[in-house]
Amino acid sequence: MSTERIIIHLPTAPTEREDVYNLVVSAGRADKHTSAHTLQLHQHLTNILSPHKISVELTGAECIAIKDNNEHIPQLLQLISPVLSYFTTLTILENNQLVWTFGDENSHFTTETSQLYAPWASLRSIPSWIDHVTANARSLASRNIGTDPRDFLIISDNTKDQHYIQCYFSPADNNYRVEMRLGDAQHHFWRIRNDARSLIRELSTWMTSTDHSTTGWSKLDIS
C-alpha cells in the first residue's frame, strides 16, 4: 500500500516562481524555521486531523507535512482545504508531483476533476490541471479503461447559479472539448480546442471576465 505526503509551505514573501513543486520540496528540506503564522495553521490542521489519527508535522522552512495512504488523499484534501483557503500557501503532493495550492486561490470559484475537488480556483493552476487531466486521460485510454470523458476539469463560479466552464481531453481525437454553461440548459455552449495553450487561454479568460461572449461557440441541445 503506497503512501503520499502533502507538504504545505507558507511563503514569507510573494513568489512569482513558476516551478512551485520544486520550490516547496526545497523549503521542506531546508533548515527548520517556523513562524507564528505557520504554527497557527499547524494547530488548525492538528485539530481537524487528530480525530482521524493523522499526524501533522512541522518541517523545513515554514512547512507542514501530512502523510497518509495514497487512496485516502482525496478525502484528506477535502478535510484540510477549507482551512487552507484562509492562508496563502503553496501545497504539493510530493510523490504524485501535483501542486494543490499556488498562492492565488480564489474562493469565488471551485475546481473539480474526476477524483479531486477544491473549494477554490487559481489562475496559476490552470496549466497544471490541464496537464493532469490530459495525462490521466491518455493513461486510461492506453489501458482501455473507460470512455471519454475519462477525466475532466470543471471550474464553477459560486457567485452565480449554474455558471461553469468544463473541458476534457479526447485521446482518440487529440483535442479538447470545452463546454460553457451560463445559467441554465438554454444557455449551454460547446466548442473544440486543438491544443492546451488555447484551452488555457479560454479558461483563464472565462475566470477573469464578467461578461462571457458566445461568439464562436455552438449551442448544445439538451433536451
Side-chain angles (χ1 to χ4, degrees):
M1 185 178 294
S2 61
T3 61
E4 178 61 275
R5 192 164 76 133
I6 301 170
I7 305 176
I8 304 161
H9 174 54
L10 286 81
T12 56
T15 176
E16 297 299 327
R17 183 169 171 175
E18 292 299 320
D19 194 355
V20 172
Y21 176 83
N22 284 329
L23 174 64
V24 176
V25 169
S26 296
R29 295 172 179 170
D31 293 337
K32 192 168 184 179
H33 182 271
T34 307
S35 67
H37 201 49
T38 301
L39 287 172
Q40 183 184 23
L41 177 55
H42 176 263
Q43 187 60 56
H44 284 305
L45 294 171
T46 298
N47 292 342
I48 293 168
L49 296 179
S50 59
H52 303 275
K53 296 181 171 52
I54 300 172
S55 62
V56 182
E57 173 192 0
L58 291 167
T59 187
E62 308 298 346
C63 287
I64 299 167
I66 306 167
K67 183 184 288 187
D68 202 350
N69 294 330
N70 199 60
E71 60 267 29
H72 297 156
I73 292 301
Q75 182 182 6
L76 180 53
L77 289 172
Q78 286 194 41
L79 286 173
I80 69 173
S81 289
V83 71
L84 289 184
S85 65
Y86 290 99
F87 293 79
T88 299
T89 66
L90 305 175
T91 306
I92 66 168
L93 305 186
E94 185 178 31
N95 295 333
N96 289 327
Q97 300 189 16
L98 175 70
V99 180
W100 186 245
T101 64
F102 283 78
D104 68 335
E105 282 64 40
N106 185 338
S107 59
H108 289 164
F109 299 88
T110 59
T111 303
E112 184 176 0
T113 72
S114 63
Q115 296 180 318
L116 299 169
Y117 172 86
W120 57 61
S122 153
L123 286 170
R124 291 179 68 185
S125 75
I126 291 174
S128 175
W129 281 121
I130 296 304
D131 286 347
H132 176 76
V133 299
T134 302
N136 197 35
R138 288 189 190 277
S139 174
L140 292 171
S142 70
R143 291 176 285 157
N144 199 29
I145 298 174
T147 58
D148 288 340
R150 290 176 170 85
D151 201 355
F152 56 81
L153 175 66
I154 303 174
I155 300 175
S156 301
D157 185 342
N158 297 327
T159 67
K160 301 174 183 177
D161 184 42
Q162 296 188 55
H163 275 65
Y164 58 83
I165 192 164
Q166 65 184 18
C167 63
Y168 72 86
F169 177 72
S170 170
D173 299 323
N174 199 38
N175 61 24
Y176 298 89
R177 180 183 172 99
V178 193
E179 296 183 16
M180 175 174 65
R181 191 177 182 100
L182 303 175
D184 56 30
Q186 299 304 311
H187 297 85
H188 197 117
F189 306 88
W190 71 278
R191 72 191 314 172
I192 297 296
R193 287 298 187 190
N194 290 317
D195 59 275
R197 180 176 297 181
S198 62
L199 176 62
I200 291 166
R201 186 166 55 249
E202 187 87 71
L203 301 183
S204 301
T205 299
W206 187 88
M207 276 189 64
T208 55
S209 299
T210 54
D211 297 316
H212 303 297
S213 172
T214 58
T215 302
W217 293 78
S218 300
K219 191 174 182 302
L220 187 63
D221 184 15
I222 302 178
S223 55

